[in-house]
Amino acid sequence: LSYETGTVANTFEGAFSSGNAALKPYRAHNLDAGGEWYFARGGMLSVGVFAKFIENPIFVQSTLLSDVDFANRRFARLTISQPLNAERADIIGIEAAFQQQFTFLPGVLAGFGVELNGTLVDSTLRLPSGRTSAFPQQSSFLYGAQLFYQAGRVEASLAWHNTGKSLIAPGGLDFQDQYNDDLRRLDAKISVELFDAASKT
């Protein structure tokens, strides 16, 4: 139990997480298929499809209570979280990636290349209450782009990725569901080989 003084006098705001000894283990059946096409030197196109069917999936349900007495304190707002078993869950998706190094360009430019990728996912979690939601921590759309350089002793990349909105925890009611917003990330790295690996042997 964690809490702090609430905005209303003589009350608190807090969160309580409990365990669940009655949880059942989940079982998943997975199907995957994919293909790659190397259409040119330094070029590749890949496509994959996947499906996961889960029995007794485990999720954390979050319930918001207002004006409630708990642990000898009066809470204006108290969030209670507990792991539960859902009836079943389905996750189905398709992913694709394209990569091309510009080996057809002259000189140092031949080391540059691009990579694009994207994933579409449809997920459903059937809750004990009978309603459905997306599967927790599963975004519906993920995509990214990368500019890279590979030549001689130098490797470098500049990559941008977007992870779409995802469910954190379903609530007791629809409006109590908690979500993460889109996550956008920019990464840059460079590495230089200072010594010839062959000279170390």
Side-chain angles (χ1 to χ4, degrees):
L1 175 65
S2 60
Y3 60 90
E4 60 184 18
T5 302
T7 55
V8 179
N10 302 317
T11 67
F12 297 89
E13 294 185 0
F16 175 74
S17 298
S18 67
N20 186 353
L23 281 178
K24 301 175 183 177
Y26 69 86
R27 177 179 297 176
H29 302 277
N30 302 296
L31 299 173
D32 298 274
E36 297 179 347
W37 177 33
Y38 296 87
F39 55 86
R41 182 183 177 188
M44 181 194 71
L45 177 64
S46 66
V47 177
V49 293
F50 56 88
K52 178 178 289 190
F53 307 101
I54 308 172
E55 299 174 6
N56 299 320
I58 297 173
F59 72 101
V60 176
Q61 185 170 74
S62 179
T63 303
L64 177 63
L65 303 177
S66 301
D67 298 323
V68 62
D69 291 316
F70 186 81
N72 298 319
R73 292 179 176 83
R74 183 69 178 179
F75 286 88
R77 293 164 56 92
L78 177 65
T79 301
I80 297 179
S81 301
Q82 183 182 35
L84 298 172
N85 284 115
E87 293 181 12
R88 63 176 291 111
D90 303 324
I91 303 174
I92 300 173
I94 182 171
E95 55 190 359
F98 168 83
Q99 178 178 305
Q100 176 64 67
Q101 188 165 4
F102 304 141
T103 55
F104 49 84
L105 295 178
V108 296
L109 295 179
F112 283 102
V114 295
E115 181 180 351
L116 307 172
N117 61 79
T119 303
L120 286 171
V121 179
D122 180 36
S123 66
T124 303
L125 180 69
R126 294 175 177 82
L127 299 169
S129 63
R131 76 180 183 93
T132 61
S133 74
F135 195 82
Q137 309 302 327
Q138 180 62 67
S139 300
S140 297
F141 188 30
L142 304 90
Y143 59 92
Q146 177 178 234
L147 174 67
F148 64 86
Y149 183 83
Q150 295 178 343
R153 296 173 180 264
V154 179
E155 291 189 7
S157 66
L158 180 65
W160 185 83
H161 297 280
N162 183 89
T163 301
K165 182 178 74 171
S166 62
L167 179 69
I168 300 174
L173 300 172
D174 290 4
F175 70 89
Q176 294 178 329
D177 291 349
Q178 300 176 19
Y179 286 88
N180 273 326
D181 202 354
D182 286 28
L183 173 64
R184 301 175 179 89
R185 188 175 74 250
L186 181 65
D187 298 309
K189 68 176 182 179
I190 183 170
S191 62
V192 180
E193 183 182 359
L194 299 178
F195 302 100
D196 190 346
S199 65
K200 298 179 182 179
T201 60

